[in-house]
Amino acid sequence: GAVVSQHPSWVICKSGTSVKIECRSLDFQATTMFWYRQFPKQSLMLMATSNEGSKATYEQGVEKDKFLINHASLTLSTLTVTSAHPEDSSFYICSARKLAGGADTQYFGPGTRLTVL
Amino acid sequence: GEDVEQSLFLSVREGDSSVINCTYTDSSSTYLYWYKQEPGAGLQLLTYIFSNMDMKQDQRLTVLLNKKDKHLSLRIADTQTGDSAIYFCAGNRDDKIIFGKGTRLHILP
């Protein structure tokens, strides 16, 4: 199997606070994880690529100081939204890359809905 | 145009076959994927096809790939109410996956 979990599944916070979201690959090791955000009725927007033991690679237009990514182990990546504002409210989804049997696939977590008041 | 394009909406009667189409521009994709997203949930990998294959079948799902035309399709046989979801076509580029905007499949009784 290839199970990816996210915690929390939803969070409501006040403007100006920071929120940490965890992404874990439960039954496989992932040297590469990805963070996406999804607005209502839209596709996924890749925010950054998280590499175990090294710095994340951010997509153009994504503020690295605002969205802190840490990939400290082969099964855990965290995304911290710092000084969150209402425009950061979104559905954040992580995925973990798995290479097996010659196939290169990504398995997704269930998502975290962030609401900033 | 977009890297991966797909129609936004498809309506099908329960029991009929659903065919969701997708076109892509990057011929260097080695894998093409179909993901399913139910409301409020993450993405579930349904199936994928290697770029040197023409067809892949997995139970009710059939994927057809026309590499010359850069066209990918997903056929769902005997469509059920539980198939109601958004279906994303995607291809890989470098280490990333590039998604289409998704096709919302609506099942009519």
Side-chain angles (χ1 to χ4, degrees), chain B residues 5 7 17 37 67 85-86 95 99:
Chain B
E5 291 194 3
S7 54
S17 292
Q37 185 180 33
K67 200 170 180 182
I86 301 175
D95 290 339
F99 289 90

Side-chain angles (χ1 to χ4, degrees), chain B residues 41-103:
Chain B
L43 272 69
Q44 173 195 354
L45 176 63
L46 281 181
T47 187
Y48 63 90
I49 188 167
F50 192 49
S51 60
N52 68 354
M53 298 171 63
D54 299 323
M55 185 184 89
K56 181 178 181 181
Q57 187 160 0
D58 183 2
Q59 300 183 330
R60 292 192 299 123
L61 305 179
T62 303
V63 178
L64 294 178
L65 174 61
N66 182 328
K67 200 170 180 182
K68 174 175 169 289
D69 294 338
K70 297 180 188 171
H71 182 267
L72 182 75
S73 69
L74 173 70
R75 178 176 179 270
I76 305 173
D78 187 24
T79 308
Q80 303 298 310
T81 54
D83 296 324
S84 180
I86 301 175
Y87 291 81
F88 290 95
C89 168
N92 67 329
R93 179 191 298 161
D94 301 323
D95 290 339
K96 304 173 188 177
I97 289 184
I98 309 300
F99 289 90
K101 293 189 186 303
T103 299

